[in-house]
Amino acid sequence: MRRMLAVVALATTFVTLASSPALAEPSVSRLAGTNRYETSARVAQFLHAGPVETVVIATGAGYADALAAGVAAASLDAPLLLAAPGAVPVEALQELDPESVLLIGGTGAIPPVVEAAIAYSTGAAVERVAGTDRFETARLVGDRTAPFAVHTFVASGESFDTALVAATHAARERGRLELSRTLPAGVVEVDGNPIEGGAPVVNRELLERFPTTSPTAVVATLDAFPDALSATALAAAMDAPVLFTRSSSAGTTTFDVFNVLDPTQLLVVGGTAAVPDAVLHQLFGWLPLPPDVDPAAASRIARDVFERANAERAARGVAPLLWDDALAAEASSWAREMSRTGYRQPALSPGIGQNIHQAIPYCAGATCSMPTSGVPHRDWMRSAGHRDNIVEPGYATVGIGAFCAPDGTLWTVERFAVAFSGVSSGGTAPTPIAHDTTSGVTCEGEVVGDQPWWPAG
């Protein structure tokens, strides 16, 4: 059933959706200020009326400490405020009137002069939790605020969107958030068990594992951290799911989650620059969903194709290819170039081999599926000349590049370099092959299973 949208105001900054029919459900409200600091204050004041026992403060100039701070605020049932560099959120602190203030992060993030000013202006006891880096800070915050947590959520400390998803669910479950130096982007570990597939997919899987019956859903963007940081506090206080969008697309996974949850109210964190009205219209089915290209997907696709190529070689007793960063940079550059100029072969130096591939989204009616890392590899392995390149014993190194165009088209390039032995002469590599499926990573950052109906390239 097509949904209609009503707009109701909270005691916060509020933006009406343009051209939206004003009917019964669900209602949409925005919690937004003129900047990230005002937005965090609006969320804090929406959830908490002063006086409060504790306020948690982190810098708004970076995301890592603020993610840990959001989880800490949930454990302490405390409001979260973001502080501008060298500034004190005086008005919000006066309204919340805390007995104590917990600062998250070192003196480089929140200088001692700001700490002293907070203590002076509020009369509150001020405590600081800080490690030598974001990884130790997150661990120490967990020790301080959730020492007996049942669940531990781990995400890469270098990937904001995945860490944001982990922080949101850690906050809802009053768990611990830890940041990892080694865990790849797009993966969250829960109690040691990995969940992968990119931020929207991981969010969906975690909502299945930790369900909620809240009639309210929070909407936040993955493309800019400042406003989205405050979504953690909302999710925890209301036990509400968060619908993560991109700045130009709601995304197919989030669209599906929205329809399964069927919320009666949406709380949108941030203004229309963060979550445009058009993205909300996509959620409600008024506008078609454009491809939700994940900026990190291309590198994941390239690495997955690399692993598949070496699996093919291993199946034939051929030594694995070594990854070459220079070849990968050339391959990525050519994939991007072809997205502008069309499919074509470049002039190559002697001893260099190449496979190139173009895969466009496959649409049936109003539904489109995104090509995966499995599509170019499957097509190459079904083509004698391309297959020869992949399993050729004379090739020792490879660089693989992928480019995800805005329309969802996936351009993939493999470049091979010859070893000292030279390329062997003649002969198509024999089948069977190790991989003949279209499962893999999409340009939306999702990991999907085999789609046997996908047309051959």
Side-chain angles (χ1 to χ4, degrees):
M1 182 180 71
R2 188 163 119 164
R3 304 163 182 273
M4 296 299 180
L5 184 66
V7 182
V8 297
L10 301 173
T12 62
T13 300
F14 172 72
V15 182
T16 302
L17 290 180
S19 304
S20 299
L23 298 180
E25 75 169 34
S27 61
V28 176
S29 303
R30 285 190 185 270
L31 292 164
T34 59
N35 55 42
R36 65 191 69 180
Y37 309 106
E38 285 190 10
T39 295
S40 73
R42 297 287 188 272
V43 172
Q45 292 159 356
F46 172 68
L47 295 174
H48 301 271
V52 298
E53 183 175 342
T54 303
V55 168
V56 179
I57 298 179
T59 179
Y63 67 83
D65 289 346
L67 288 175
V71 179
S75 296
L76 299 173
D77 190 25
L80 168 68
L81 294 177
L82 300 180
V88 178
V90 176
E91 292 184 10
L93 281 171
Q94 289 176 343
E95 183 168 332
L96 293 167
D97 190 20
E99 294 181 12
S100 63
V101 174
L102 181 63
L103 305 180
I104 305 299
T107 55
I110 303 177
V113 65
V114 173
E115 179 179 356
I118 290 172
Y120 177 79
S121 62
T122 62
V126 180
E127 176 188 357
R128 184 190 294 266
V129 177
T132 56
D133 54 29
R134 64 183 62 185
F135 308 99
E136 185 180 19
T137 295
R139 180 179 60 78
L140 292 175
V141 168
D143 292 343
R144 166 63 176 80
T145 62
F148 306 111
V150 175
H151 300 293
T152 298
F153 297 75
V154 185
S156 169
E158 309 297 337
S159 171
F160 162 69
D161 55 1
T162 310
L164 174 63
V165 171
T168 298
H169 291 277
R172 284 186 53 231
E173 294 300 313
R174 306 304 190 267
R176 290 177 64 107
L177 173 70
E178 295 188 1
L179 301 179
S180 169
R181 291 181 173 86
T182 59
L183 203 64
V187 179
V188 171
E189 284 188 353
V190 184
D191 305 329
N193 300 310
I195 301 173
E196 60 181 289
V201 173
V202 171
N203 185 52
R204 181 190 64 199
E205 297 299 314
L206 288 173
L207 283 170
E208 292 178 359
R209 177 165 179 176
F210 303 106
T212 173
T213 58
S214 172
T216 299
V218 179
V219 183
T221 181
L222 288 169
D223 284 341
F225 72 84
D227 288 341
L229 292 170
S230 298
T232 300
L234 279 170
M238 306 178 74
D239 190 28
V242 179
L243 303 174
F244 292 106
T245 69
R246 298 289 179 183
S247 58
S248 61
S249 175
T252 54
T253 300
T254 296
F255 177 79
D256 292 341
V257 170
F258 170 77
N259 281 284
V260 169
L261 294 175
D262 195 24
T264 59
Q265 184 181 36
L266 297 181
L267 288 178
V268 183
V269 182
T272 54
V275 183
D277 291 347
V279 169
L280 299 179
H281 292 168
Q282 291 166 18
L283 279 179
F284 285 90
W286 299 348
L287 293 175
L289 286 169
D292 180 19
V293 174
D294 181 354
S299 61
R300 294 174 58 206
I301 290 170
R303 284 290 178 174
D304 188 55
V305 172
F306 174 65
E307 291 175 4
R308 290 167 188 257
N310 273 335
E312 305 293 350
R313 294 171 71 92
R316 293 160 178 78
V318 179
L321 294 162
L322 300 178
W323 182 271
D324 186 294
D325 286 335
L327 287 175
E330 293 175 6
S332 295
S333 177
W334 189 249
R336 182 182 292 270
E337 174 69 13
M338 286 194 299
S339 74
R340 295 191 310 106
T341 60
Y343 185 96
R344 59 194 178 94
Q345 288 280 3
L348 297 174
S349 302
I352 300 295
Q354 178 168 265
N355 290 339
I356 62 177
H357 192 278
Q358 174 191 13
I360 63 174
Y362 179 78
C363 298
T367 303
C368 293
S369 297
M370 295 296 107
T372 69
S373 52
V375 171
H377 180 78
R378 181 204 64 175
D379 291 348
W380 285 331
M381 289 305 297
R382 291 182 178 182
S383 168
H386 296 95
R387 186 167 64 245
D388 282 346
N389 280 341
I390 291 172
V391 301
E392 167 56 53
Y395 286 133
T397 61
V398 69
I400 302 174
F403 180 72
C404 293
D407 65 356
T409 298
L410 172 61
W411 298 86
T412 315
V413 177
E414 289 179 319
R415 284 201 178 172
F416 306 88
V418 94
F420 293 113
S421 61
V423 177
S424 61
S425 58
T428 296
T431 57
I433 59 177
H435 290 281
D436 193 29
T437 73
T438 60
S439 62
V441 182
T442 72
C443 283
E444 294 182 311
E446 300 182 9
V447 177
V448 300
D450 187 29
Q451 302 169 96
W453 41 260
W454 195 279

